[in-house]
Amino acid sequence: MDATTIKPSPTLSLPWKTRILLSIITTVSDAAVRKNGTINRRLLNFLDFRAPATPNSAKSVTSHDITLDKTRNLWFRVFIPTKHANEPLPVIMFFHGGGFVFLSPDVLAYDAVCRRFARTVPAIVVSVNYRLAPEHKYPAQHDDCFDVLKFLDDDLDMSKSMLPKNADLSRVFVVGDSAGGNLAHHVAYRACGFDFKRLKVAGVVAIQPFFGGEERTDSETRLEGTPIVSVKRTDWTWKAFLPQGEGFNRDHPIVNVSGPNAMDISKIDFPPTMVVVAGFDALHDWQKRYYEWLKKSGKEAYLFEYPNMCHAFYIFPELPEAGQLIGQVSEFIRKR
């Protein structure tokens, strides 16, 4: 009788250093959120390690900050690779994660990620600081990100944004992880209906995008206790993010992008999209549904799966999978 080969189940493959960091991040974040829907930002300062802009080259990348609107603390950091000054480069508009509640472009991890994108792709990276919930409810975050896109289009001589002359705004890629992946999709959707002078969104990269719904998916139940994401945390975050009022629940299309109230994208020129999912991310099923919805809508979409990884794995440079993902994003952008 032939022996049956049983394929081993994937396991979460993280070194102890990464596990300890994830545990610290989770513990402090949980302690900072309050039952009344507010957040203790003073406590978050314990994890608030910031990286200054570097007008002089650091690891072959310079960076500078541009303020667009002081009244809403809307600014962005520009990353410029120094070894490609004489060739046209695509522009990555990057939206950081953090559940619409945490983090910013100058946090050490996101500063480092954007430098890697700028150097590896190579590309000009514009990383946006948008307003955070619960102090600012939806649509503040999405409006801020789209306003930066319009600002770049209006800045014809690039003097205000200080983008280099080799920045090719006909090849803009909206890229984000977690909440930033949600922003990337919705900013691209809004861009499809806007008459830009010269800017064109050429692609979307949604890295473990933060989507959800009223339903409890298998991955949300099965992966309870895995790092960063849990049902309790996402429920709190959506409540902090959404305004009160009729229709503002987890099946709102800003949350459940492919759900019962989904917008019809079948008749619009939605750009090619790269979707990244991880096997130990409780949001896995929502992200897979997003990819499948794009395909059913007749859109060009590509799925990249990391079965042994958890949410936000790619911001940890010690993981080989982080470098692999940066390479796959680079290839996706170059092929466009």
Side-chain angles (χ1 to χ4, degrees):
M1 185 172 64
D2 292 336
T4 301
T5 302
I6 300 175
K7 188 176 181 180
S9 299
T11 57
L12 182 58
S13 303
L14 298 175
W16 282 110
K17 175 186 175 182
T18 310
R19 290 178 183 271
I20 292 169
L21 285 172
L22 285 167
S23 177
I24 294 171
I25 291 169
T26 300
T27 300
V28 175
S29 298
D30 284 348
V33 299
R34 302 185 179 109
K35 291 181 180 179
N36 65 359
T38 62
I39 191 164
N40 185 346
R41 296 211 178 273
R42 291 181 65 183
L43 180 58
L44 289 176
N45 288 336
F46 286 105
L47 291 178
D48 201 14
F49 303 111
R50 303 293 178 108
T54 55
N56 297 318
S57 180
K59 295 185 178 180
S60 302
V61 176
T62 64
S63 64
H64 61 268
D65 296 338
I66 297 294
T67 298
L68 181 54
D69 186 343
K70 287 184 179 180
T71 63
R72 47 181 165 151
N73 195 27
L74 178 56
W75 59 273
F76 55 88
R77 177 164 290 183
V78 180
F79 299 84
I80 303 170
T82 56
K83 293 183 178 180
H84 302 272
N86 296 320
E87 58 184 283
L89 295 179
V91 175
I92 291 176
M93 178 163 285
F94 183 82
F95 309 128
H96 67 81
F100 303 108
V101 174
F102 307 104
L103 307 176
S104 64
D106 56 353
V107 167
L108 276 173
Y110 280 116
D111 182 86
V113 161
C114 287
R115 286 182 185 280
R116 292 186 77 181
F117 278 134
R119 186 171 55 248
T120 305
V121 174
I124 310 300
V125 179
V126 175
S127 183
V128 180
N129 187 72
Y130 52 84
R131 287 171 290 177
L132 299 176
E135 296 89 346
H136 304 281
K137 303 281 189 178
Y138 167 78
Q141 299 77 12
H142 293 72
D143 287 347
D144 286 351
C145 293
F146 195 70
D147 283 350
V148 173
L149 201 64
K150 293 191 294 183
F151 173 76
L152 296 182
D153 185 58
D154 287 336
D155 186 23
L156 295 179
D157 61 0
M158 301 185 185
S159 60
K160 296 178 181 178
S161 62
M162 294 177 62
L163 292 185
K165 297 300 182 183
N166 62 332
D168 184 359
L169 288 176
S170 69
R171 292 186 294 153
V172 173
F173 292 82
V174 286
V175 179
D177 71 301
S178 194
N182 178 302
L183 287 161
H185 167 79
H186 289 292
V187 166
Y189 175 80
R190 288 175 67 171
C192 290
F194 191 82
D195 186 19
F196 290 105
K197 300 179 183 71
R198 54 178 180 154
L199 186 148
K200 179 177 176 57
V201 176
V204 177
V205 179
I207 303 170
Q208 300 177 276
F210 186 26
F211 298 128
E214 291 295 320
E215 175 194 350
R216 296 303 185 201
T217 65
D218 173 68
S219 65
E220 285 177 312
T221 303
R222 178 171 47 84
L223 296 173
E224 184 68 27
T226 51
I228 302 291
V229 175
S230 70
V231 169
K232 181 181 178 180
R233 294 182 192 115
T234 57
D235 281 358
W236 187 94
T237 302
W238 289 127
K239 189 174 180 180
F241 167 73
L242 290 169
Q244 293 183 341
E246 185 177 353
F248 284 107
N249 56 37
R250 294 194 306 273
D251 277 337
H252 188 282
I254 211 72
V255 179
N256 193 351
V257 67
S258 58
N261 303 309
M263 299 172 182
D264 182 8
I265 64 169
S266 62
K267 297 178 177 62
I268 65 173
D269 187 22
F270 195 81
T273 302
M274 172 180 175
V275 183
V276 178
V277 304
F280 287 87
D281 183 351
L283 300 175
H284 174 276
D285 291 355
W286 292 115
Q287 296 156 0
K288 286 286 290 287
R289 289 185 189 184
Y290 171 58
Y291 164 75
E292 291 162 359
W293 171 71
L294 289 170
K295 298 292 283 186
K296 288 177 183 177
S297 300
K299 303 306 163 189
E300 186 180 345
Y302 305 90
L303 182 68
F304 293 80
E305 299 189 83
Y306 286 81
N308 300 317
M309 290 290 106
C310 63
H311 195 76
F313 73 91
Y314 91 111
I315 67 170
F316 297 96
E318 66 271 17
L319 298 178
E321 291 83 357
Q324 181 182 343
L325 177 56
I326 296 289
Q328 289 171 332
V329 173
S330 302
E331 184 179 4
F332 173 80
I333 289 175
R334 285 196 292 266
K335 285 184 175 180
R336 305 278 83 73

